[in-house]
Amino acid sequence: MLPLEAIELDAFRRRHEHDTFSCGLLLGGCGLQLTTKLYTDRVCSLSSAAC
């Protein structure tokens, strides 16, 4: 699960540095690889270039 707080995102990135996540096609997504987005003013998220 992606952490909600920006302060926890670095640990998540280190723990999953060799993992890849994809935007789920079965959920209506684009199927492309997801990257983490760091925000300090809202919840951190995963996103792809196309979605």
Side-chain angles (χ1 to χ4, degrees):
M1 178 177 212
L2 185 67
L4 300 178
E5 300 293 328
I7 197 167
E8 299 169 341
L9 189 59
D10 284 335
F12 176 87
R13 287 174 172 167
R14 282 191 303 274
R15 196 167 46 250
H16 296 284
E17 68 181 311
H18 298 293
D19 298 332
T20 56
F21 301 96
S22 298
C23 188
L25 294 173
L26 296 175
L27 300 173
C30 64
L32 294 178
Q33 185 172 340
L34 297 173
T35 57
T36 55
K37 294 279 192 162
L38 173 65
Y39 296 107
T40 56
D41 60 337
R42 58 183 173 208
V43 174
C44 298
S45 66
L46 290 168
S47 66
S48 71
C51 293

